Every structure is written in C-alpha cells, then in structure tokens.
Amino acid sequence: MISRAILLVIAASSVADAASSRSGAAGFVPAPLSPLSTSVVSAARASGGRMGLRGGAASGLRMADIKICKDVDSVGKALCEVVEESAKKAMEEKGHFAFTIPGGSILKMLSGLKGDSSIDWSKATMAWVNHRAVPLDDETSTDFKAQSLFLKSWEEQGLNVIKLTGSTDAVKEEEAYAKALKSLPSDVCPPNADGVPMFDLSLIGMGTDGHIGSLYPDTPATAEREKLVVSVVKPASSSISLSLPVMLASKRVVVASAGKSDKYPLGKAEGVKRALEGDETTSSFPASALRGKALWILDEDSAVCTARKVIGVVTRTLPH
C-alpha cells in the first residue's frame, strides 16, 4: 500500500510540473488515495484570458476536477451518486432540489435512478439543458426518450419538470422557457445578483466538437450573455438551450463523458483534452468555458489523452 501511494504521488507530481511549465499555473493537487480504480485529479490551469462570467469561468487560475472511472457503467454509477448527493444537500439547505439535465448518453446513465432512490422527487424541479423544438411525443424529443428510461418514474413520484410547449417554433419555445425559468420561486431556484437562476446541479454532455447543450462552436449562441435561453434555428432540427450564464450560475456542474465507437475510436478523448487543456475560447470550443467550474466524470477511453501519466497509474485495478 505504501509503495502504491508513493507511485501515485510521483505520477501526479510529474504531471503538475508539466502543467506548470506550460501554463504558469500553481502546482498539482492530488486527491486522497483510494483502493478503487477511480481517482479524482485536481489540476490548476491558467484561463488563457477567457470571459469573466459569474459562476466560475472567470479569467485567472482555475481548478479542473477530473474523476476517472473504469468504463461507461462506472461513469453512470458515479453520475447517479452525484445526483443523490446534490439532492440531499439541497433539500437539507432549502427544502428543494432544482437541477438540469441534457439529452444524449447521459439519459441512459440516469436510468440508474429509475424507481426507488434516496431522492424525494416531490421536492425536486428539473429543467432541460437543451431540447429540440418538436412535439413532446416525437421520437426525437428528449422528453420522449427519457420517459421510459427514468422520467416517467420520477414524474409519478412527484417531480416537477419544466417542459417545452411542444411546438416547432424554436423562438417561441425560447421565450416560453425563459419565462418559466424566471417564474421559479426563490426557495426553489434562487437567482444570483444578475437575476440568473442558480440551479443546485447541472449535468452537461459534450460533443466531440465541444458543443454543450445546443451551443455549437463559432455560433452567436456561445456569445449570448443577456438571455437565459437561446434558440438555435436550423433547417432540419431547431432547438433551445440554456445560455452559458445559466450553466455557469449553477452551484454544481458535472460533465460526463464515456464510450467510443467505430467512427470515434478514441471516443471523446481528443475533445476532453481540448476542453481541459487546449488553447481555446468559448467560441472555438464551448466546453472550455466549464474549466474551473465543472467536475468531469470520464471513463478511461475519454481520459486517455488527458493527464496521461496519472491515468496510466490510477485507472488500472490496483491490489489492496
């Protein structure tokens, strides 16, 4: 056990030295050691002069928390644990849990909370990070996809979901959704000094191009600082998305990334590296705006390009 601990600390230190020489950041802070094949790595990184948004994306030194899990199932389990922890904390503090979720692969991960869980869903409110402007029973609707995975179960237990109206007019959906967010009681989801609702937890997925929600690279939506919700109008598939200020105002933000495919043999590994380490702006790679704010829960495939020396030690199953 002692030799293993020394090995982990040495590996962490070597990455810290490299990170400091590249960015001028403070040292690397290793997490408490665990006998499991999961670790939390805290790395201080320089901002590269990114925007100063209330909630975590300010310029200057920032911390990136990375939790590396063995595989997709482990990432899903870790994500569900975060949801339960956040719900418990919020309900103890203010009697209600307000959170946001995206579509995509995170939906399947959340199926681990279907049925019985430690969460009292009657004291919870959920909003979508992004959602297509389609009828709610359309097969491409995130609401529709989530129903059988977990949402029907949660709603039957009393969850309040801020839903779209089900129209195909993204601009109208944007306006209606923003109005719904603004009308949330302060004891459910209090606003910050800028009037932006502060959700207790925001779960966010990331595309290989760095998009988060429906905020795609090099589009006007990434620069929106006044609106709570933005509409993204496309010929084939329009949608709405929470704006960056809303995502960053959340008390806790979690990005989950896991899995790979024939098309993307490295999964989202290259995207994760760009998000955490690349010389990016919120326009060129929107996910980089979450540096210093989010906990990144990654499987080994997604983390393979990031902190390579640490991953090579801590993500393999080690003897007790």
Side-chain angles (χ1 to χ4, degrees), residues 123-202:
K123 298 178 180 178
T125 294
M126 188 195 89
W128 297 109
V129 171
N130 61 307
H131 198 290
R132 289 187 177 186
V134 294
L136 296 185
D137 59 356
D138 187 279
E139 63 180 10
T140 65
S141 160
T142 303
D143 191 295
F144 178 82
K145 294 176 182 178
Q147 285 293 330
S148 61
L149 292 172
F150 58 85
L151 193 55
K152 181 179 179 181
S153 168
W154 294 1
E155 289 185 290
E156 287 175 346
Q157 296 177 67
L159 174 69
N160 174 42
V161 180
I162 305 175
K163 294 179 179 282
L164 280 71
T165 67
S167 79
T168 57
D169 187 332
V171 175
K172 286 181 62 176
E173 292 293 348
E174 170 204 314
E175 295 170 350
Y177 216 74
K179 183 178 180 180
L181 293 183
K182 291 176 182 177
S183 67
L184 287 172
S186 59
D187 59 342
V188 169
C189 189
N192 64 16
D194 296 323
V196 180
M198 295 188 297
F199 285 93
D200 298 299
L201 173 68
S202 283

Side-chain angles (χ1 to χ4, degrees), residues 32-50:
L33 300 177
S34 167
L36 302 177
S37 59
T38 299
S39 71
V40 177
V41 179
S42 295
R45 305 193 185 281
S47 70
R50 284 171 175 69

Side-chain angles (χ1 to χ4, degrees), residues 298-318:
L298 314 171
D299 68 349
E300 294 180 8
D301 291 328
S302 296
V304 71
C305 293
T306 302
R308 208 178 276 271
K309 294 180 183 177
V310 174
I311 294 167
V313 176
V314 301
T315 61
R316 68 171 66 117
T317 302
L318 299 173

Side-chain angles (χ1 to χ4, degrees), residues 9-309:
V9 172
I10 290 174
S13 298
S14 65
V15 176
D17 294 338
S20 290
S21 64
R22 287 196 310 269
S23 65
F28 189 99
V29 183
L33 300 177
S34 167
L36 302 177
S37 59
T38 299
S39 71
V40 177
V41 179
S42 295
R45 305 193 185 281
S47 70
R50 284 171 175 69
M51 64 176 187
L53 284 179
R54 189 182 301 273
S59 60
L61 192 65
R62 60 185 64 215
M63 298 298 291
D65 290 335
I66 308 172
K67 187 181 182 82
I68 304 169
C69 302
K70 180 177 176 57
D71 51 27
V72 176
D73 290 341
S74 300
V75 170
K77 182 178 179 181
L79 187 71
C80 289
E81 288 174 354
V82 168
V83 176
E84 290 188 301
E85 291 168 4
S86 297
K88 182 176 184 292
K89 185 174 186 292
M91 291 181 187
E92 288 175 349
E93 291 178 349
K94 59 186 177 71
H96 201 90
F97 175 47
F99 67 110
T100 73
I101 69 170
S105 59
I106 287 181
L107 294 181
K108 290 184 179 180
M109 296 181 190
L110 291 174
S111 64
L113 292 175
K114 180 179 180 180
D116 294 334
S117 72
S118 65
I119 301 173
D120 182 351
W121 295 111
S122 67
K123 298 178 180 178
T125 294
M126 188 195 89
W128 297 109
V129 171
N130 61 307
H131 198 290
R132 289 187 177 186
V134 294
L136 296 185
D137 59 356
D138 187 279
E139 63 180 10
T140 65
S141 160
T142 303
D143 191 295
F144 178 82
K145 294 176 182 178
Q147 285 293 330
S148 61
L149 292 172
F150 58 85
L151 193 55
K152 181 179 179 181
S153 168
W154 294 1
E155 289 185 290
E156 287 175 346
Q157 296 177 67
L159 174 69
N160 174 42
V161 180
I162 305 175
K163 294 179 179 282
L164 280 71
T165 67
S167 79
T168 57
D169 187 332
V171 175
K172 286 181 62 176
E173 292 293 348
E174 170 204 314
E175 295 170 350
Y177 216 74
K179 183 178 180 180
L181 293 183
K182 291 176 182 177
S183 67
L184 287 172
S186 59
D187 59 342
V188 169
C189 189
N192 64 16
D194 296 323
V196 180
M198 295 188 297
F199 285 93
D200 298 299
L201 173 68
S202 283
L203 305 182
I204 298 177
M206 183 194 76
T208 55
D209 62 354
H211 78 264
I212 49 178
S214 293
L215 308 182
Y216 290 89
D218 302 317
T219 61
T222 62
E224 179 56 58
R225 300 294 179 265
E226 301 300 325
K227 294 181 178 180
L228 301 182
V229 183
V230 295
S231 54
V232 179
V233 179
K234 294 182 177 181
S237 176
S238 297
S239 62
I240 65 167
S241 175
L242 300 182
S243 64
L244 265 180
V246 176
M247 295 184 194
L248 292 170
S250 294
K251 296 176 183 177
R252 191 175 191 185
V253 178
V254 176
V255 180
S257 178
K260 59 183 179 179
S261 63
D262 292 337
K263 185 176 181 180
Y264 299 106
L266 288 179
K268 296 179 180 178
E270 293 174 339
V272 168
K273 183 175 179 63
R274 288 182 65 184
L276 292 176
E277 301 178 354
D279 183 15
E280 306 288 352
T281 67
T282 55
S283 177
S284 68
F285 210 78
S288 67
L290 303 179
R291 292 182 193 176
K293 177 68 180 181
L295 166 65
W296 299 71
I297 305 180
L298 314 171
D299 68 349
E300 294 180 8
D301 291 328
S302 296
V304 71
C305 293
T306 302
R308 208 178 276 271
K309 294 180 183 177

